[in-house]
C-alpha cells in the first residue's frame, strides 16, 4: 500500500469520534405549535475540552444571524445515543448539562438557581 494512501486512512480514522462515552453540543431552539422548546445534538467528541471549544465556535456562528438558539450547552452522551437522537427533538428525557454540574435526576434547585443565579464558567 502506498504511504500516501496509508496516511489518508490514518487521518480519516483519527477524525472519527470514539464509540464510547463523550460529549455533544446541544442547541435549544424555540418550539412551534404545542412544543415550547426543541433541541438538536451536534458535534460529538470524546473530549470535554474540545466540546467546550465547539460551544464557543457555535455561539459565534449563530450570533451573526437573525435566528439564534435559546441556549448552547455541552451534554454528556454516548456515541450510540448521539447517532440515534432525532433532529428537532422535544423530549424532556434527553441529555442536559445537569450531569456536568453535578445535579442528579432528583436534585431540587433553589429559587436563585431556577432564576439563572448560577452560570457555567
Amino acid at each position: 500500500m502506498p504511504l500516501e494512501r496509508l496516511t489518508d486512512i490514518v487521518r480519516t480514522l483519527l477524525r472519527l469520534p470514539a464509540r464510547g462515552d463523550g460529549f455533544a453540543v446541544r442547541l435549544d431552539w424555540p418550539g412551534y405549535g404545542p412544543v415550547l422548546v426543541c433541541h438538536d445534538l451536534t458535534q460529538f467528541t470524546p473530549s470535554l475540552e474540545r466540546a467546550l471549544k465547539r460551544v464557543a465556535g457555535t455561539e459565534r456562528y449563530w450570533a451573526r444571524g437573525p435566528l439564534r438558539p435559546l441556549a448552547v450547552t455541552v451534554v454528556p452522551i454516548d456515541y450510540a445515543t448521539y447517532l440515534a437522537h432525532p433532529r428537532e427533538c422535544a423530549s424532556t428525557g434527553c441529555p442536559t448539562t445537569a450531569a456536568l454540574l453535578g445535579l442528579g435526576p432528583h436534585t431540587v434547585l433553589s429559587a436563585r438557581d431556577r432564576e439563572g443565579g448560577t452560570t457555567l464558567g
Side-chain angles (χ1 to χ4, degrees):
M1 177 178 291
L3 182 58
E4 227 174 70
R5 179 71 181 130
L6 183 60
T7 303
D8 289 342
I9 292 171
V10 170
R11 284 185 181 149
T12 301
L13 290 174
L14 291 176
R15 282 190 206 124
L16 293 176
R19 299 286 182 209
D21 293 337
F23 304 91
V25 175
R26 176 178 164 143
L27 293 100
D28 289 281
W29 298 99
Y32 45 87
V35 177
L36 297 178
V37 177
C38 60
H39 62 270
D40 291 321
L41 298 179
T42 65
Q43 306 178 57
F44 178 88
T45 179
S47 165
L48 178 57
E49 183 179 338
R50 188 176 302 137
L52 291 170
K53 287 179 183 176
R54 289 177 177 178
V55 163
T58 301
E59 287 175 334
R60 281 191 306 273
Y61 174 82
W62 286 105
R64 296 183 214 141
L67 178 64
R68 295 182 186 103
L70 299 171
V72 181
T73 56
V74 172
V75 295
I77 190 168
D78 66 84
Y79 190 63
T81 304
Y82 171 78
L83 287 178
H85 191 270
R87 294 198 37 91
E88 296 183 13
C89 178
S91 172
T92 58
C94 290
T96 67
T97 305
L100 294 176
L101 297 174
L103 305 176
H106 303 291
T107 302
V108 177
L109 295 176
S110 70
R112 179 176 174 266
D113 291 338
R114 284 193 304 272
E115 293 170 5
T118 60
T119 59
L120 284 176

